Amino acid sequence: MGDEEGSLILGIETSCDETAAAVVAEGRRLRSNVVASQIDLHRQYGGVVPEVASRQHLLAIIPVVEQAMGEAGVSPGDLAGVAVTYGPGLAGSLLVGVNMAKALALAHALPLIGINHLEGHIYTNWLLDVPLEFPLLCLIVSGGHSDLVLMTGHGEYRLLGRTIDDAAGEAFDKAARLLGLGYPGGPAVQEAAQAGNPAVFTLPRAWLRGTYDFSFSGLKTAVLHAVQRQQSPGETIQTPGVRPSNLSLGAGVVTSADLAAAFQAAVVDVLVEKTKAAAVEHGVTRALLAGGVAANDLLRQEMAARLPVPVSSPPPALCTDNATGVAAAGYFRRQRGERSGWDLDVKPSLRLV
Ligand code: KG4
Ligand code: ZN
């Protein structure tokens, strides 16, 4: 422990379908990171079922927290605080994490620190061993959000733009369903796209000029129309076990791999160009990517290639839901003397700004 004593924060995250706990030292050094995913459980329904999720969190939360503490080699008395996601997310899921955090903090006389889930995503970037200097530009792209945020200091955010309809991850999930590519959609579309040619099919980009807002619902509709045009009656796009790239749709003009590639290219194009424009206008030192869609290889490559400033993208395992950023954000809030009351309640619709 040594010099890390007094700086260790336990983070807990249960806002959606991952039960996660992590221990972080000084808001920067990862001591443990445990994520129990429910993806296999929800796959059969094609999406997250809230009641199933909260039940599963209840089963997993104590073992996950114990494992995170054990792997970090710390006991509750070593901690400087317990940080927990209290929103946005599913109420029944958030409740499990918040109550676990309260119980631990109360029992061991530790400060409780409520964290916004999106702030947790952003702070995974503090674990990357890169010196970060404000102002920073954050692109948070997840299943529920697509926000472009200017960060002028710790905990200081200004919203530049957000999606006016579907979130980027939601668009990936819906496109995957239309293309018969399985769940969750992001990784499935990325994999299918590898065998596809994005130039075979041009899908629309909603530029919403003069704003930093995004719109992805038109793109999803364009995918639907492309599928309908190409699909012969009764024909399915993908047969289980058959690589999508081998399947011709209808007259054989477009494959689902080509459509996946075209879809991915369209989403990435808009995200990159808007982030680039905002980075230039606001003179940021760096752009930080966060959220599940930031795990996308093409997005990471294009951001790095096209932006005029350095880009941080956490490793994929830190992009999708986990508690490391919750712990890191908790550390910086605690440093400013913040703590939540014992009446901390879940806020399913909590906003970052
Ligand atoms: O941040 P996250 O784990 O949960 C939310 O807070 O929503 O994000 C999940 C989203 C899903 O929509 C998933 O399809 C998407 O992130 N995603 C990806 C990739 N991996 C996960 N989207 C594109 N490419 C990926 N490789
Ligand atoms: Zn998330």
Side-chain angles (χ1 to χ4, degrees), residues 117 121 142-144 169-170 172-173 184-187 190 291-293 295-296 319-321:
H117 177 72
H121 273 304
S142 69
E170 187 182 358
F172 268 96
D173 293 336
Q190 172 169 309
V293 181
N296 185 272
C319 289
T320 47
D321 286 349

